[in-house]
Amino acid sequence: MPRPGFVLEVDERTPPLLVHEGEGFRMQSFPLGTRVVYPPDSLPGIRDVNAAIRHALLNPVGDAEPLPELLKPGMKLTIAVDDISIPLPPMRLPDIRQRILEQVIELAARNGVEDVKIIVATALHRRMTADEIKRMVGERVFRSFWPKDLFNFDGEDRDGLVEIGTTDQHEVVEISKRAAESDLLVYVNVNLVAMDGGHKSVAIGLAGYRSLRHHHNVETMLHSRSYMDPRPGHSAIADSATRMGRLVAANGLKIFQIETTVNADTFPANLGFLNKREWEWSAYDQGLMIAARKANDLAPPRARREFYRRIEAPYKLTGINAGEVEAVHERTLDNLHRQQLVEVRGQSDVVVFGLPYIGPYNVNSIMNPILVHCLGLGYLFNMYRNMPLVKPDGVVIMYHPVPWEFHQIHHPSYIDFFEEVLAETTDPSTIESKYEERYATDPWYTHLYRTSHAYHGVHPFYMWYWGAHGRDHAGDVIFVGGEPKSVARLGYRAAGSFRDAIEMAKDTVGPSPSITYFHAPPIMIADVV
Amino acid sequence: MADGFRWGRRPLVPRSAEAHTPPKEDRVFPSDWARTDAGVAVRQVLLKGAMHPLIRNELTLRVFGRDNLEGVDPPLIFYSNHSSHLDATLIMCTLPDRWQSKTAVGAARDYFFDVWWRQAFTALVYGAFPIDRSRGGRGAVDKARQLLSEGWSIVVFPEGTRSPDGHLQRFRHGASRLALETGAGLAPIAVVGAYHAMPKGRFWPRGGRPPVTIRYGRPFWPREVETHQELSRRMTRAVTELLHEETSTWWETLQRAQRDEVPSLMGPTGPGWLRRWEGSRPPARRGPDRVWD
């Protein structure tokens, strides 16, 4: 039985603790009394993954028939898969999506289905490259379907979208026409965090800007507390996706949802110490840590980035469920919480996050300052249930170098957002009302999104909104080791060291603040009670 | 290297993490290799070429009573009072050659056999075998019995741990039971001044070449009808007499022993500071023996 997560209280026996900071990490000594939230140990993986997939397809949950019974000759079958924004880091091959796809396609072939399309559900993410898709779906699927029957979703293809209707909250639901007109939509999902999966898969993954703007906005994000807590009433974005998903189902689209969860084996053996608690490091782990740090310091930036880019997570499957969306998602969340939930008692004045080198939007890319903001105040800040780890008007301290650096192909609208919009204001509501529409409809960004590998023009706005709740909640945000110029552009403050950051934080939270360090990754959710 | 990180040292578990940390894997570092011919040869070189000169350089060492071991057949169970990490080194360095090459030290498994480099060092320099102090030490007794049956003598510290205040502590019964089971002889040793030279918490002797005296006593054997408690008492008395010789004379000690009046060296009763205060009193520094007054 793997150990659950727990909260450590730093005492004089506590060694320096590992803190991620972009493409690197440091060993940080924390003040006595600091609370450190550790994730649970990794759950054992399912031994026979193919058998588990087969079992899930033949024994669906909720109001659903086994997949073979849904597959009929002459039918129109669409299979949608999550893109490579999850899991993080990319999974060691074979990817779980490949294994599932192969079985689904095998069943379709055996049941005489001929019209099969596979859509990578990118929503407004960048188009995945052929190599990225090939890695994800496997050579056999790729060779059989690419490019005609295996393609990226296009949220700007007016002919490829269809309006399903409007929810009782006046939200327009517009999704992929091919998916909507299929006799069966099979959605293959990877649930890395609690907001993945469920109705979000179809209602967001296969939707365009017209539909997404109803929940990807400041108002919704401010009322998603947190968006990692999809229980009804806790996350406005999850509630909105649920309304939309139910509308899609009510309109007759038959969805066979397949959801998977993975364990916490986030880093490979050569970085195994990153998965362990520091006082349990062996001499070998300590040696590895020192070697990795020295090599990281000495490596030229390109080599360093390449090293991190190549990291593959040895994730193992902890659960797979298939069938009706809500019934499946309920089980998925149980599995996910089994791996990620940690009980934490009470909030603190200061919360510390070490931001790793990767987030959902910089796979094979560069983590630019806006993505740093999103990863810290969006993702990590929201990794809670009930209430944030930090008190209202408390201080968020994050570690990241925040380089003023952008991927020219993947993030063109980010560059302009950073240079033009953030130079004027950092207030999410002002940004939304003044700039969003223009960026979202800019023909050049749209062209790049559709034909190149660029994120949609509106995507940097969503990243900014993603952190709106954290920004609104915190009294101050300080980046340790951040480049002052880019940190200032984000509207935050930079500190040279943790000690400086704490001194700066005292202006906001008083002379002796309580501190909590959220020791992630591996990913976890703090259940703050 | 990160400041404050316990590189290569015994990892400390933060208190709040103790309930969440599994007990250490029950893995015993092999030590038999250190008692092979090659291991013995390396040990002899280390003891004579490095450790003994080092001891002589750092301490003012005097050794008495080695003649008590003459004519005695191995194996023996050497036992001594224990107040410093110096004790085992001092005994191994001062044992007569005949004994030194075939004597192994029983070392606390939880301390000396925790990290790999300490295990290797302890096994090589002391020919050590691990003694488990926490679980009755059954495995350790088996190992000690095996060594005795193979003709090896062993060094044990019946107090179980270093004295926190320099005074003699109550003897545990492990050594007496072992002697009763195997019939091996017991050789008392008194180490005087080691506590002052390098008490618990120090990892190198104090400066100024503090005086340390090693006194080997006459070996004795368990009687046919004797309980382990009685034998432990005899063992305690033998070491006490040797320690007492340091502050009086051999003749005086003999007389007091005859009258059963050798004072206990368990230290004063009273608060802890008093015991430590008395225990840390430096032993008298003796000058060179004068030829005339």
Side-chain angles (χ1 to χ4, degrees), chain A residues 364-419:
Chain A
N364 299 327
S365 189
I366 293 171
M367 183 173 287
N368 61 53
I370 299 159
L371 292 179
V372 171
H373 156 88
C374 173
L375 182 63
L377 284 187
Y379 280 88
L380 287 176
F381 179 87
N382 278 286
M383 286 290 179
Y384 72 83
R385 295 206 320 176
N386 300 323
M387 51 186 162
L389 279 166
V390 62
K391 292 174 185 168
D393 295 323
V395 174
V396 178
I397 295 178
M398 295 188 272
Y399 285 73
H400 198 280
V402 203
W404 189 304
E405 196 181 6
F406 294 83
H407 197 292
Q408 302 289 330
I409 293 171
H410 294 162
H411 302 120
S413 60
Y414 280 70
I415 301 172
D416 295 337
F417 179 87
F418 196 66
E419 298 282 3

Side-chain angles (χ1 to χ4, degrees), chain A residues 263-437:
Chain A
N263 65 7
D265 289 347
T266 310
F267 296 101
N270 61 345
L271 294 170
F273 61 93
L274 295 176
N275 287 328
K276 295 182 182 172
R277 298 169 182 176
E278 288 82 353
W279 57 94
E280 293 172 7
W281 286 2
S282 63
Y284 177 72
D285 290 324
Q286 294 180 36
L288 262 186
M289 181 276 288
I290 290 169
R293 258 184 66 193
K294 292 286 175 204
N296 207 52
D297 291 346
L298 294 174
R302 284 176 72 97
R304 189 185 311 149
R305 180 155 299 152
E306 189 57 21
F307 171 80
Y308 279 98
R309 195 187 71 74
R310 285 170 186 245
I311 291 177
E312 292 180 347
Y315 285 128
K316 295 187 189 73
L317 189 71
T318 56
I320 175 166
N321 286 288
E324 187 270 323
V325 177
E326 292 185 20
V328 167
H329 195 51
E330 197 183 317
R331 285 167 171 76
T332 302
L333 286 177
D334 284 345
N335 273 336
L336 194 86
H337 287 155
R338 209 156 48 89
Q339 176 62 78
Q340 295 185 358
L341 215 53
V342 184
E343 188 179 300
V344 181
R345 296 204 169 271
Q347 297 171 299
S348 59
D349 298 319
V350 175
V351 68
V352 181
F353 299 120
L355 307 190
Y357 70 98
I358 200 167
Y361 314 107
N362 74 316
V363 178
N364 299 327
S365 189
I366 293 171
M367 183 173 287
N368 61 53
I370 299 159
L371 292 179
V372 171
H373 156 88
C374 173
L375 182 63
L377 284 187
Y379 280 88
L380 287 176
F381 179 87
N382 278 286
M383 286 290 179
Y384 72 83
R385 295 206 320 176
N386 300 323
M387 51 186 162
L389 279 166
V390 62
K391 292 174 185 168
D393 295 323
V395 174
V396 178
I397 295 178
M398 295 188 272
Y399 285 73
H400 198 280
V402 203
W404 189 304
E405 196 181 6
F406 294 83
H407 197 292
Q408 302 289 330
I409 293 171
H410 294 162
H411 302 120
S413 60
Y414 280 70
I415 301 172
D416 295 337
F417 179 87
F418 196 66
E419 298 282 3
E420 182 193 21
V421 178
L422 289 185
E424 189 174 314
T425 177
T426 55
D427 176 53
S429 300
T430 311
I431 289 173
E432 182 180 39
S433 57
K434 197 171 171 187
Y435 294 99
E436 183 189 305
E437 187 78 23

Side-chain angles (χ1 to χ4, degrees), chain B:
Chain B
M1 197 181 299
D3 291 340
F5 208 86
R6 295 175 63 85
W7 166 248
R9 287 152 65 194
R10 189 181 320 109
L12 281 180
V13 178
R15 286 183 190 86
S16 54
E18 278 173 347
H20 304 271
T21 305
K24 246 184 113 184
E25 207 179 310
D26 199 17
R27 191 169 61 87
V28 180
F29 183 79
S31 62
D32 289 344
W33 59 271
R35 291 181 292 273
T36 59
D37 289 348
V40 169
V42 174
R43 178 157 55 256
Q44 294 284 85
V45 170
L46 279 173
L47 288 174
K48 290 184 190 306
M51 302 299 278
H52 200 212
L54 200 62
I55 290 285
R56 287 273 177 202
N57 189 57
E58 296 295 319
L59 307 171
T60 307
L61 183 65
R62 299 183 314 145
V63 187
F64 301 103
R66 280 188 285 203
D67 49 308
N68 284 321
L69 301 175
E70 283 173 13
V72 178
D73 291 329
L76 282 178
I77 300 173
F78 293 100
Y79 71 95
S80 129
N81 61 318
H82 193 25
S83 60
S84 168
H85 274 330
L86 284 174
D87 296 341
T89 312
L90 289 166
I91 292 169
M92 286 303 283
C93 286
T94 56
L95 274 173
D97 287 354
R98 185 165 73 95
W99 296 90
Q100 193 183 58
S101 59
K102 215 156 183 207
T103 298
V105 178
R109 174 176 163 173
D110 52 304
Y111 188 93
F112 289 98
F113 287 83
D114 57 349
V115 291
W116 65 269
W117 58 266
R118 208 195 309 263
Q119 293 172 348
F121 177 82
T122 309
L124 187 62
V125 177
Y126 305 106
F129 63 96
I131 287 184
D132 191 338
R133 299 190 284 192
S134 61
R135 293 176 304 162
R138 199 63 238 167
V141 172
D142 292 342
K143 188 73 199 170
R145 194 187 294 118
Q146 179 201 332
L147 288 172
L148 289 169
S149 70
E150 291 170 1
W152 281 79
S153 297
I154 61 172
V155 178
V156 292
F157 299 102
E159 290 167 84
T161 184
R162 286 172 292 161
S163 167
D165 49 29
H167 295 292
L168 199 63
Q169 304 175 90
R170 195 178 66 77
F171 277 18
R172 299 184 188 187
H173 300 304
S176 58
R177 282 179 195 274
L178 187 65
L180 284 168
E181 280 179 36
T182 60
L186 290 150
I189 305 170
V191 182
V192 183
Y195 179 76
H196 176 68
M198 197 172 96
K200 216 170 185 170
R202 279 190 75 94
F203 290 91
W204 198 257
R206 291 179 205 276
R209 300 187 71 216
V212 175
T213 305
I214 315 290
R215 285 184 185 277
Y216 285 88
R218 190 179 298 281
F220 57 93
W221 277 259
R223 294 173 186 137
E224 272 185 24
V225 187
E226 188 172 27
T227 63
H228 61 266
Q229 291 95 335
E230 288 166 347
L231 185 55
S232 287
R233 273 197 292 276
R234 246 187 342 135
M235 289 166 65
T236 310
R237 198 157 51 237
V239 168
T240 308
E241 285 170 15
L242 285 174
L243 289 169
H244 195 249
E245 270 185 42
E246 187 64 14
T247 49
S248 59
T249 64
W250 173 63
W251 174 240
E252 191 182 327
T253 306
L254 273 182
Q255 285 179 316
R256 285 193 173 195
Q258 188 61 35
R259 298 196 298 271
D260 205 14
E261 285 176 359
V262 176
S264 163
L265 292 174
M266 298 279 186
T269 51
W273 70 264
L274 183 63
R275 291 176 60 81
R276 285 191 291 278
W277 179 256
E278 289 298 334
S280 59
R281 197 180 294 285
R285 189 180 281 273
R286 298 181 184 208
D289 291 339
R290 294 238 173 129
V291 179
W292 70 89
D293 285 323

Side-chain angles (χ1 to χ4, degrees), chain A residues 70-350:
Chain A
L70 296 170
L71 300 169
K72 307 256 172 16
M75 76 179 299
K76 202 185 240 189
L77 170 66
T78 301
I79 307 170
V81 288
D82 279 338
D83 71 6
I84 60 165
S85 58
I86 38 179
L88 299 172
M91 192 172 183
R92 181 177 292 169
L93 298 180
D95 195 291
I96 184 61
R97 285 164 287 210
Q98 173 192 334
R99 290 174 178 241
I100 296 170
L101 278 173
E102 285 177 356
Q103 293 209 27
V104 171
I105 291 165
E106 183 73 38
L107 285 174
R110 266 198 261 141
N111 285 279
V113 182
E114 291 180 358
D115 185 359
V116 178
K117 303 275 186 208
I118 305 171
I119 305 176
V120 183
T122 50
L124 300 185
H125 295 176
R126 68 178 174 89
R127 294 164 65 240
M128 303 292 115
T129 65
D131 282 344
E132 287 170 337
I133 293 176
K134 188 176 178 180
R135 185 186 185 282
M136 182 170 83
V137 301
E139 198 273 338
R140 196 175 166 205
V141 175
F142 186 82
R143 187 149 51 90
S144 305
F145 291 90
W146 177 266
K148 191 167 160 284
D149 299 318
L150 166 60
F151 47 83
N152 288 291
F153 170 72
D154 184 351
E156 286 291 344
D157 177 12
R158 300 308 320 158
D159 298 334
L161 296 169
V162 65
E163 185 176 322
I164 303 287
T166 307
T167 67
D168 55 1
Q169 301 287 314
H170 313 295
E171 297 145 322
V172 177
V173 181
E174 185 184 59
I175 65 165
S176 158
K177 191 175 179 182
R178 163 72 202 195
E181 292 176 352
S182 295
D183 298 310
L184 178 66
L185 171 63
V186 175
Y187 199 104
V188 180
N189 160 283
V190 183
N191 253 80
L192 188 67
V193 292
M195 75 161 183
D196 299 331
H199 285 298
K200 178 177 176 287
S201 297
V202 173
I204 294 180
L206 293 173
Y209 176 63
R210 272 190 77 212
S211 207
L212 294 175
R213 63 187 305 180
H214 292 291
H215 39 65
H216 279 53
N217 57 53
V218 179
E219 178 69 12
T220 307
M221 297 318 297
L222 287 176
H223 290 91
S224 296
R225 302 183 171 192
S226 78
Y227 57 70
M228 293 298 174
D229 184 3
R231 292 175 293 179
H234 287 80
S235 167
I237 187 171
D239 292 346
S240 177
T242 302
R243 283 192 297 274
M244 291 180 163
R246 285 178 179 166
L247 183 73
V248 170
N251 271 268
L253 176 58
K254 190 170 264 186
I255 301 173
F256 189 84
Q257 182 96 350
I258 306 169
E259 294 192 347
T260 57
T261 47
V262 291
N263 65 7
D265 289 347
T266 310
F267 296 101
N270 61 345
L271 294 170
F273 61 93
L274 295 176
N275 287 328
K276 295 182 182 172
R277 298 169 182 176
E278 288 82 353
W279 57 94
E280 293 172 7
W281 286 2
S282 63
Y284 177 72
D285 290 324
Q286 294 180 36
L288 262 186
M289 181 276 288
I290 290 169
R293 258 184 66 193
K294 292 286 175 204
N296 207 52
D297 291 346
L298 294 174
R302 284 176 72 97
R304 189 185 311 149
R305 180 155 299 152
E306 189 57 21
F307 171 80
Y308 279 98
R309 195 187 71 74
R310 285 170 186 245
I311 291 177
E312 292 180 347
Y315 285 128
K316 295 187 189 73
L317 189 71
T318 56
I320 175 166
N321 286 288
E324 187 270 323
V325 177
E326 292 185 20
V328 167
H329 195 51
E330 197 183 317
R331 285 167 171 76
T332 302
L333 286 177
D334 284 345
N335 273 336
L336 194 86
H337 287 155
R338 209 156 48 89
Q339 176 62 78
Q340 295 185 358
L341 215 53
V342 184
E343 188 179 300
V344 181
R345 296 204 169 271
Q347 297 171 299
S348 59
D349 298 319
V350 175

